[in-house]
Amino acid sequence: MSATLRNSTIRSGRSFDLGKMNLRQLWVAYLTYPTILLYFALIVISVALVVHLAPGWVPLAASVVAVMLVYPLVWYLLHRYVLHGQWLYKSRWTAALWKRIHFDHHQDPHLLDVLFGAPATTLPTIAAVTIPVGWLIGGWGCSAAAFGTGVTITCIYEFFHCIQHLNYKPKAAWIQKMKAWHVLHHFHDEDINFGITSYVVDRAFGTLYTDAKSRPRSPTVFNLGYDIKEAQRYPWVMELTGSAPRDRPDGARPSARTDRTAA
């Protein structure tokens, strides 16, 4: 491990705590994280397939643009209706999936290992969304381009998602705004601001909020509705966690102060 990350104060168990890391430490962790390295490898393979299959510049560009347009909408729908849905934890067969892909992240938003999506779930989803788009535009060459574009966007999403939970104030005003809106999603109301780098779809669907004072703080912002009562009815996530669901992560600030900070 790099000396930059050999600091026990930035670790929480086996994971890095973004709330205690600086930007340099994030870059090292990000560029050496196995999931990100896998994504990089898949991007290189996708580029090689595009070169080999030579789909032509026009369909190639169309595939890339199509994925760039579709991706924010797909992310929004998955984030709002699947990751924040309650049906996954109500089945013993999907409880572990829901716990890993989103519940753990809201229980402790700063832990790096649960912030990154698991390749076993992200890659099939990316493939299912992007490959048909590329195929319809120009066959397998465009499918490779579309998939590579989807993985590239995912890498960008993951990095900015880390920034949004990092102990760091971005210099660029647009990143500050993006971070502040995502903080509202995690610390004020889980039913707003579902985007990561773009909130165009949130604006279109009426879920964009930029001021904590515009709506009351949600009592389920940290547990996504999986509270003690729900855990007693559907115990599988709680059993996997080894403890009852928390109403706030360890070290969270009092509600009023958190709301002022998020705003």
Side-chain angles (χ1 to χ4, degrees), residues 16 28 40 50 57 92 112 141-142 163 172 212-213 225 244 257 259:
F16 292 111
V28 175
F40 287 167
V50 169
W57 286 109
R92 148 190 329 268
L112 186 62
C142 287
I163 289 287
K213 297 177 182 178
R257 186 180 173 188
D259 292 349

Side-chain angles (χ1 to χ4, degrees), residues 26-255:
L26 170 61
W27 271 114
V28 175
Y30 178 85
L31 293 174
T32 58
Y33 200 83
T35 298
I36 299 301
L37 294 178
L38 173 61
Y39 290 162
F40 287 167
L42 290 173
I43 292 170
V44 171
I45 292 172
S46 297
V47 171
L49 286 173
V50 169
V51 172
H52 176 70
L53 296 171
W57 286 109
V58 173
L60 176 62
S63 300
V64 171
V65 171
V67 172
M68 291 174 65
L69 293 175
V70 168
Y71 208 94
L73 175 61
V74 172
W75 166 254
Y76 178 92
L77 295 175
L78 287 174
H79 192 184
R80 182 176 182 180
Y81 296 109
V82 178
L83 303 187
H84 281 257
Q86 298 182 331
W87 52 277
L88 285 175
Y89 72 66
K90 294 182 178 181
S91 169
R92 148 190 329 268
W93 311 113
T94 56
L97 173 66
W98 183 74
K99 175 183 180 296
R100 170 60 184 88
I101 61 177
H102 215 55
F103 178 70
D104 286 349
H105 178 47
H106 271 263
Q107 284 280 276
D108 197 335
H110 298 308
L111 292 186
L112 186 62
D113 62 340
V114 294
L115 182 149
F116 285 132
T121 56
T122 57
L123 290 175
T125 304
I126 295 169
V129 171
T130 61
I131 289 177
V133 171
W135 173 260
L136 290 173
I137 292 174
W140 288 116
C142 287
S143 292
F147 179 74
T149 301
V151 177
T152 301
I153 294 173
T154 300
C155 289
I156 296 170
Y157 270 34
E158 296 287 36
F159 182 76
F160 279 101
H161 196 185
C162 289
I163 289 287
Q164 290 163 343
H165 293 282
L166 188 67
N167 181 25
Y168 163 74
K169 182 177 181 179
K171 296 180 180 179
W174 67 275
I175 302 179
Q176 291 179 21
K177 181 188 299 183
M178 180 180 66
K179 179 171 182 172
W181 293 354
H182 189 69
V183 166
L184 289 177
H185 173 78
H186 273 281
F187 293 92
H188 189 73
D189 189 338
E190 74 278 17
D191 292 325
I192 63 174
N193 301 353
F194 292 98
I196 296 294
T197 62
S198 172
Y199 293 90
V200 173
V201 183
D202 276 287
R203 192 181 298 276
F205 281 80
T207 53
L208 175 63
Y209 288 83
T210 62
D211 183 1
K213 297 177 182 178
S214 63
R215 57 193 289 139
R217 184 181 179 277
S218 168
T220 57
V221 68
F222 294 121
N223 60 37
L224 305 184
Y226 187 74
D227 54 17
I228 297 297
K229 183 178 179 180
E230 285 290 273
Q232 291 172 344
R233 294 183 62 191
Y234 309 103
W236 304 291
V237 170
M238 182 170 61
E239 290 172 355
L240 290 168
T241 302
S243 61
R246 295 176 293 177
D247 292 332
R248 57 192 299 110
D250 292 339
R253 287 174 279 185
S255 300

